[in-house]
Amino acid sequence: MALKCQPTASHFIDGEYIEDTDGKIIECIYPATGEKIAKLHSATPKIIEMALESAKHAQKSWAKLSGTERGRILRKASDIIRERNRELSVLETYDTGKPLQETLYVDATSAADALEYFGGLAGSITGEHIPLGEDWAYTKRIPIGLCVGIGAWNYPTQIACWKGAPALACGNSMVFKPSEMTPLCALKIAEILIEAGAPKGIYNVIQGYGDVGAKLVSDPRVDKVSLTGSAETGKKVYSSAALGMKNVTMELGGKSPLIIFDDADIENAVSGAMLANMYSTGQVCSNGTRVFVQSSIKEVFLKRFIERATKIIIGDPMDEETQFGPMVSEKQRDIVMSFIEKGKAEGATLAFGGNIIESSGWFIEPTVFSDVTDEMTIAKEEIFGPVMSVFDFENEDEVIARANDTDLGLAGGVFTNDIKRAHRVVDQLEAGTCFINSYNDAPVEVPFGGIKGSGVGRENSKAAIEHFSQLKTVYVRMGNVDSPY
Ligand code: NDP
């Protein structure tokens, strides 16, 4: 039987699809049915070599184009992505299992936003003139060189472009390795960039498990590494990159707090908590999974949350009515289920869900624990699934201290109608990305990233330009050189 999403070949290098069947097999499974939809191969040393050589070579002439010329190609790619939104969204749904209701609005569209935004900025990447009496200096913002992008499996199209668009805008080239669980979408991005007029080799995609990522990171030809992944992988990749003194961006995991005060609008707070825990079946790095609710409103909050959670439409991700899909893999489903078991065993109250939904795919129920205490496993470790933990709190100082009591610092949110309190609280949250009376908005104009163990650097916005370019300073003497020798 023909596989539903079989690409022309596993890798896209130097403007074309290429295969090497000697590579370890990567089976691509549709998470909603467990069906095998594509078979790919992990990159062999020969493929890795081709991808790096081609990207190294292509970068030099790409960097010589004006920013406006580079930007025009990125914006063209953005237009093509928008024209093909449905086709790309369906592919994203096959790759991840996320419902079409989400992917039609969030994935290819945010990839297009990134290409459009950084395409627009490309012509304005400049240095400065520094007057020094008769002499002067100037700075140039130059590319870093050959960049490696390594992606997690939750947003394969978006991650491919959040890394690729700023890298290319700044005159770098990129070799991108998607997660082996979601290998399909980045290939389409590489193909579309060529169609938009990008020179061959500036954006190559190769498949592989962690070992392929590790080889890319340690290769001396690579100048920069941008990883989206777990904190644990982040430490390995960061230390390997450090040995080569490489520039890094690390977008890692979180265990983020969402604080709901008793003066908050309850319906909005419930909406925020839903978005912070159930969107993409909870597989979002910035999720606000530790929901601190002021004691006086805890019961009403939980009651409304559960009433609304009961109505979540779970099912076939290709049905546009469906709001909640499967976990990305059987392994991830089992990891999440083991956290649910630990939550029960350690004494949290299972207030909603908590079960596997019997089907051929990897579905589990939206799950809510209440009476969670700070030392429980589900309070401390990133679950990466639709499991919300609700904690009680009494006052502001107490909740801020508890919210910050984690090694991670990706995101945080507060719901309150007291504007002073809102700012006072987010000011004290040890998190890179905060929300007031909202959760998980990530427009391309706004910097995104974490502090503490959640990462280094920022994606999106003008800040990403700083992470994909470097400064060169030129001192210019106008008179004679005054030397004591
Ligand atoms: P992993 O850390 O397991 O993997 C991330 C990527 O790194 C994969 O492509 C993986 O390949 C690769 N990799 C694994 N080991 C190495 C290595 N030693 N050297 C180089 N590359 C390696 O993360 P997941 O894919 O499981 O994604 C979930 C995690 O990503 C969560 O912790 C989540 O919070 C985080 N994340 C962070 C985001 C952010 O922006 N801050 C956004 C989205 C997710 P392979 O899969 O083949 O092992």
Side-chain angles (χ1 to χ4, degrees):
M1 198 181 77
L3 294 167
K4 261 193 190 115
C5 302
Q6 186 63 40
T8 311
S10 298
H11 319 287
F12 193 94
I13 301 173
D14 217 40
E16 57 191 15
Y17 277 100
I18 184 149
E19 188 60 272
D20 182 352
T21 51
D22 284 348
K24 224 189 298 175
I25 288 174
I26 296 173
E27 291 205 323
C28 190
I29 309 284
Y30 179 39
T33 60
E35 215 180 331
K36 195 161 97 180
I37 53 169
K39 181 177 135 189
L40 294 90
H41 293 270
S42 179
T44 55
K46 186 174 110 197
I47 291 289
I48 296 174
E49 186 59 27
M50 284 173 75
L52 290 173
E53 267 311 299
S54 137
K56 190 82 192 164
H57 176 75
Q59 191 263 329
K60 296 206 168 35
S61 40
W62 177 243
K64 283 192 184 132
L65 295 181
S66 73
T68 306
E69 287 169 310
R70 288 197 299 269
R72 195 176 301 136
I73 292 168
L74 301 189
R75 285 185 290 108
K76 179 82 196 299
S78 163
D79 290 345
I80 298 173
I81 289 175
R82 287 194 207 287
E83 280 159 23
R84 298 203 195 139
N85 182 45
R86 180 163 285 273
E87 175 202 328
L88 294 169
S89 304
V90 168
L91 190 67
E92 173 94 17
T93 292
Y94 274 125
D95 228 358
T96 61
K98 291 184 296 183
L100 206 49
Q101 190 186 93
E102 285 188 18
T103 57
L104 280 171
Y105 296 96
V106 173
D107 294 280
T109 54
S110 76
D113 286 353
L115 287 157
E116 186 175 357
Y117 176 83
F118 289 107
L121 275 187
S124 308
I125 302 171
T126 57
E128 59 177 344
H129 170 261
I130 304 159
L132 298 162
E134 282 188 2
D135 294 348
W136 49 285
Y138 63 92
T139 61
K140 294 171 76 167
R141 215 157 242 293
I142 60 171
I144 298 176
L146 168 51
C147 303
V148 157
I150 300 178
W153 39 259
N154 56 347
Y155 284 85
T157 309
Q158 182 185 84
I159 295 173
C161 289
W162 279 19
K163 297 189 188 307
L168 268 44
C170 292
N172 305 285
S173 59
M174 175 164 276
V175 174
F176 185 80
K177 188 203 84 68
S179 163
E180 93 285 349
M181 267 188 279
T182 52
L184 303 174
C185 299
L187 290 169
K188 284 284 163 201
I189 298 300
E191 201 184 304
I192 286 170
L193 278 162
I194 290 290
E195 197 180 327
K200 294 173 178 179
I202 60 152
Y203 189 86
N204 295 329
V205 173
I206 64 171
Q207 309 297 342
Y209 296 87
D211 61 321
V212 172
K215 284 205 185 83
L216 292 173
V217 174
S218 62
D219 192 283
R221 285 165 290 190
V222 171
D223 304 295
K224 151 117 201 173
V225 179
S226 177
L227 169 81
T228 296
S230 62
E232 198 187 324
T233 304
K235 283 178 196 156
K236 287 189 214 154
V237 171
Y238 199 179
S239 42
S240 167
L243 294 175
M245 205 53 79
K246 292 171 192 181
N247 196 306
V248 296
T249 299
M250 295 281 141
E251 287 296 347
L252 310 176
K255 191 71 197 171
S256 303
L258 170 58
I259 303 172
I260 299 170
F261 286 96
D262 59 7
D263 64 342
D265 178 301
I266 291 284
E267 283 309 307
N268 280 332
V270 168
S271 297
M274 284 276 181
L275 290 171
N277 286 277
M278 302 305 160
Y279 206 72
S280 302
T281 318
Q283 303 165 112
V284 182
C285 52
S286 48
N287 269 359
T289 50
R290 290 186 296 142
V291 180
F292 293 92
V293 183
Q294 207 156 15
S295 299
S296 52
I297 57 160
K298 182 186 126 186
E299 291 310 324
V300 58
F301 170 84
L302 269 173
K303 182 168 172 285
R304 269 310 281 150
F305 191 98
I306 290 166
E307 276 167 9
R308 288 174 57 179
T310 311
K311 294 189 188 135
I312 293 176
I313 302 169
I314 306 171
D316 173 9
M318 292 296 173
D319 179 343
E320 281 181 49
E321 294 298 307
T322 297
Q323 298 170 318
F324 188 92
M327 301 303 301
V328 74
S329 65
E330 186 173 18
K331 182 176 160 211
Q332 190 62 22
R333 182 200 65 182
D334 293 346
I335 291 173
V336 174
M337 285 310 298
S338 77
F339 276 111
I340 291 173
E341 291 311 318
K342 277 185 196 141
K344 291 196 268 187
E346 291 175 18
T349 304
L350 181 62
F352 188 72
N355 301 303
I356 287 180
I357 300 172
E358 288 310 328
S359 80
S360 52
W362 323 126
F363 289 87
I364 56 179
E365 292 171 343
T367 297
V368 180
F369 279 106
S370 61
D371 308 315
V372 183
T373 55
D374 297 349
E375 71 289 349
M376 290 179 184
T377 307
I378 57 169
K380 287 183 172 300
E381 291 182 26
E382 188 185 39
I383 299 174
F384 224 60
V387 182
M388 179 170 96
S389 294
V390 177
F391 305 71
D392 305 11
F393 77 91
E394 301 301 330
N395 67 61
E396 196 177 307
D397 288 343
E398 169 216 336
V399 76
I400 290 166
R402 291 170 63 196
N404 288 337
D405 187 18
T406 162
D407 293 337
L408 301 172
L410 185 52
V414 57
F415 275 81
T416 173
N417 274 329
D418 178 342
I419 190 168
K420 288 186 188 161
R421 172 153 69 187
H423 291 284
R424 196 166 60 228
V425 171
V426 290
D427 252 16
Q428 295 174 81
L429 285 183
E430 294 168 359
T433 308
C434 291
F435 306 91
I436 293 177
N437 292 331
S438 190
Y439 208 86
N440 264 351
D441 315 75
V444 67
E445 297 87 346
V446 177
F448 178 82
I451 61 172
K452 294 164 76 178
S454 289
V456 176
R458 289 292 175 273
E459 293 200 306
N460 288 341
S461 80
K462 286 181 244 169
I465 297 293
E466 286 167 30
H467 295 291
F468 277 104
S469 62
Q470 52 194 341
L471 277 183
K472 173 177 270 190
T473 302
V474 181
Y475 189 100
V476 183
R477 184 172 295 282
M478 300 301 286
N480 293 325
V481 177
D482 183 14
S483 164
Y485 309 108

